[in-house]
Amino acid sequence: MVRLSGDLDGPRVAVEDSLGRPNGGPARYPPNGEYSQPLLAGESDLDVRSKYQDLLPEHESSRASPGKLAIGFTVTMLVIALGMWVYQPKLHRRGQLAVDTGYVDQSAGVGRLPFMGYNTWNAYWCNINETVVLENARLMKSLGLKDVGYEYVGVDDCYSEKQRSSAGDIVANKERFPSGMKKLTDEIHSLGLKAGIYSDSGWFTCQLYPGSYGNEERDAKLFQEEWGFDLLKYDNCAIPFDSVMKEGMVGKFTRMAKALSDLSKKTGKPQMLFSLCQWGREEPWLWARRLGHSWRTTDDINASWGSITDLLNRNSFISWASDFFGHNDMDMLEVGNGDLSYDEAKSHFTAWALMKSPLVIGTHLQGASKETLEILKNKEIIAINQDPVVGPGITPFRWGINPDWTYNWTHPAQYWSGRSENGTVFMLLNTLNEPAHMFFSLTESPWIRAGRQYSVRDLWTHTENGTAVRNFTVHGVPPHGVVALLLKDAGDEPEGLDPPCARPEWCMNENGTRIDQ
């Protein structure tokens, strides 16, 4: 049993116009034409204008006053500014600079939030067929997973024949998918779900089936237009020699990003959701947002606590990179797999969800335990992952047993916080092999206001847990366990608290007296 308490004192652990002017050029007198007369020596500008007055438009018959010119200039600038405001969609209207979205079309909303769904790889590897895929799709609906947000059913590697057709297309394996991929996606769509497919940016997939290098446009059309898929997971195996590719990692993945973008523009349909799977090579959190909707940040996960903490540790240093339309992908969920304990699975799911990673189930749903489904269907945790108002996820504010910003794959950061639509989210992770009391000062989180008290909701017990003032302690967090809290502002803290600042550094009275000296 985890016990939570708020502490009141002390921290605990070119064209010419009518005047003959080329566009952008100065006025030229007289205008060109059969009535032109040569200029005479000594003629002033006014003499010239008078000589050709009958050739000028009526409104040009007199020189405008400086005041009128100023008014006209001002009005023109206002019209131009208004036009930019109304017609330039990439210009943000809150003082921000225009954002270069690259090949990602944000207008249809695809990939704005981390995608949720199911993928065959972790549970089945290459042992897939249309029966397996459709069985899990139906279970997503009957088990209530669709109702809490899981939407995509992903077919991973090994679905195709080993060779392309004589026309150059990827061909679905005739034994595993005898009904064809279009029939498969139609069945998935009939369940109210969306369908995902897999390919590779190299010559072959990781299991040596045909990859998409050199066939990006063909394959994009096949996957979306002919087969009806909505998502493309795009892997990083079988990379062509440098002398062939003449591109780096960014260029290699740009090829398919452009193909998907061009296809969308041609058909008028929303882009496929593009999930880059290149294992964090060349820091994709710096560049992949212009290409797709999510990017893998690490090598593959496995169903062990060591793998969970390793991936969590690596992602703790780049957790800031997830935001709307671009998400760090910490890899598929192992909830329900291997020897993960109940608390380890809860910690795994909580961290992935609150850090705004895509949530992709990878277990055998037919035999999923009650505990597995309880974890995967936690609506309050999912609500943070799918927050429509706040894009970034939680980030560490204290490492805990290690010095802050310490790289440690067995004991990653333990204290995390972030904003949400409905309050400040905290995640406390016990990386020890024994129970632990975990405490923090509220204002260690940058999202908490000093001098205020906060109501506390536990997102796993689904209970209200009193009011926190300045500090908070959670007692008896299980080994490898997690606590997820939502704190909401509950007004001013009680009067007369001493010391006057919860965090004493440079806390000063208006008379110049510091309390930390």
Side-chain angles (χ1 to χ4, degrees), residues 126-144:
C126 274
N127 301 315
I128 58 171
N129 54 49
E130 60 187 43
T131 301
V132 166
V133 175
L134 291 175
E135 177 185 58
N136 283 285
R138 295 183 186 110
L139 285 167
M140 285 177 65
K141 186 173 182 178
S142 64
L143 294 174

Side-chain angles (χ1 to χ4, degrees), residues 151-445:
E151 184 177 22
Y152 291 87
V153 181
V155 180
D156 212 279
D157 206 349
C158 311
Y159 63 84
S160 73
E161 298 286 352
K162 285 285 188 175
Q163 302 293 329
R164 289 176 175 266
S165 70
S166 59
D169 289 327
I170 294 175
V171 179
N173 186 282
K174 296 179 179 60
E175 293 182 2
R176 296 177 179 176
F177 295 89
S179 302
M181 288 302 188
K182 186 63 171 66
K183 180 73 179 329
L184 181 75
T185 61
D186 285 346
E187 291 275 356
I188 292 172
H189 292 151
S190 71
L191 296 170
L193 299 166
K194 295 180 180 180
I197 193 64
Y198 168 96
S199 191
D200 193 284
S201 58
W203 298 122
F204 303 98
T205 69
C206 295
Q207 299 301 312
L208 300 183
Y209 290 82
S212 289
Y213 183 79
N215 289 281
E216 289 85 3
E217 293 182 6
R218 173 192 295 274
D219 291 355
K221 182 176 182 295
L222 176 73
F223 296 148
Q224 184 174 28
E225 288 296 289
E226 298 179 27
W227 285 357
F229 285 97
D230 309 286
L231 174 152
L232 174 61
K233 175 183 174 181
Y234 206 52
D235 222 330
N236 191 40
C237 292
I239 300 172
F241 292 159
D242 293 351
S243 61
V244 174
M245 189 166 60
K246 301 186 188 304
E247 297 175 290
M249 184 70 66
V250 178
K252 182 162 66 76
F253 278 87
T254 297
R255 297 168 67 98
M256 181 56 83
K258 183 178 185 303
L260 295 173
S261 175
D262 290 347
L263 179 64
S264 177
K265 293 174 182 177
K266 181 178 179 180
T267 64
K269 297 179 180 179
Q271 284 180 328
M272 293 184 76
L273 196 151
F274 191 28
S275 175
L276 287 71
C277 181
Q278 40 56 270
W279 322 313
R281 305 298 190 259
E282 277 77 63
E283 303 178 290
W285 44 92
L286 301 179
W287 51 266
R289 181 181 300 277
R290 297 184 69 255
L291 305 185
H293 305 95
S294 65
W295 47 87
R296 279 280 299 280
T297 56
T298 64
D299 288 326
D300 292 355
I301 194 172
N302 64 62
S304 69
W305 179 244
S307 179
I308 304 303
T309 56
D310 180 26
L311 269 59
L312 181 56
N313 172 64
R314 294 174 187 273
N315 280 274
S316 66
F317 301 97
I318 55 170
S319 53
W320 48 266
S322 282
D323 205 338
F324 292 133
F325 293 105
H327 312 282
N328 287 336
D329 183 351
M330 299 166 67
D331 205 2
M332 296 172 285
L333 296 169
E334 291 284 12
V335 176
N337 296 338
D339 296 323
L340 291 176
S341 70
Y342 174 62
D343 284 305
E344 290 171 345
K346 282 174 58 180
S347 296
H348 170 29
F349 183 78
T350 303
W352 266 235
L354 302 190
M355 293 171 72
K356 303 296 182 75
S357 174
L359 299 178
V360 184
I361 300 169
T363 191
H364 293 85
L365 289 180
Q366 189 175 37
S369 69
K370 180 180 178 180
E371 289 183 340
T372 291
L373 294 174
E374 173 201 332
I375 292 170
L376 294 174
K377 292 169 63 176
N378 186 325
K379 293 181 181 180
E380 294 194 69
I381 297 293
I382 291 172
I384 306 299
N385 181 264
Q386 297 290 298
D387 193 321
V389 175
V390 178
I394 59 172
T395 57
F397 63 84
R398 175 151 52 92
W399 252 245
I401 65 173
N402 299 314
D404 290 351
W405 300 101
T406 299
Y407 186 99
N408 189 320
W409 74 271
T410 60
H411 296 83
Q414 296 177 275
Y415 295 84
W416 303 64
S417 72
R419 298 181 301 128
S420 82
E421 178 183 15
N422 297 310
T424 302
V425 182
F426 285 84
M427 181 180 78
L428 312 180
L429 183 72
N430 179 15
T431 63
L432 301 176
N433 296 326
E434 57 193 29
H437 302 321
M438 303 186 70
F439 63 89
F440 61 96
S441 174
L442 269 58
T443 56
E444 286 184 83
S445 166

Side-chain angles (χ1 to χ4, degrees), residues 466-486:
T467 302
V469 179
R470 293 195 174 183
N471 309 297
F472 199 79
T473 301
V474 182
H475 302 273
V477 182
H480 304 172
V482 72
V483 174
L485 307 172
L486 181 64

Side-chain angles (χ1 to χ4, degrees), residues 493-498:
E493 66 181 23
E495 296 182 359
L497 294 183
D498 192 57

Side-chain angles (χ1 to χ4, degrees), residues 100-118:
D100 178 9
T101 57
Y103 294 101
V104 178
D105 177 11
Q106 300 182 357
S107 63
V110 174
R112 183 175 187 269
L113 302 177
F115 74 91
M116 299 173 61
Y118 184 91

Side-chain angles (χ1 to χ4, degrees), residues 17-55:
D17 62 15
S18 61
L19 297 181
R21 292 174 292 194
N23 286 349
R28 184 168 74 241
Y29 299 103
N32 293 328
E34 60 179 308
Y35 299 105
S36 298
Q37 301 179 37
L39 296 179
L40 301 178
E43 284 187 325
S44 67
D45 182 63
L46 288 177
D47 294 330
V48 174
R49 288 180 63 86
S50 177
K51 179 186 291 186
Y52 296 99
Q53 195 68 53
D54 59 334
L55 298 179

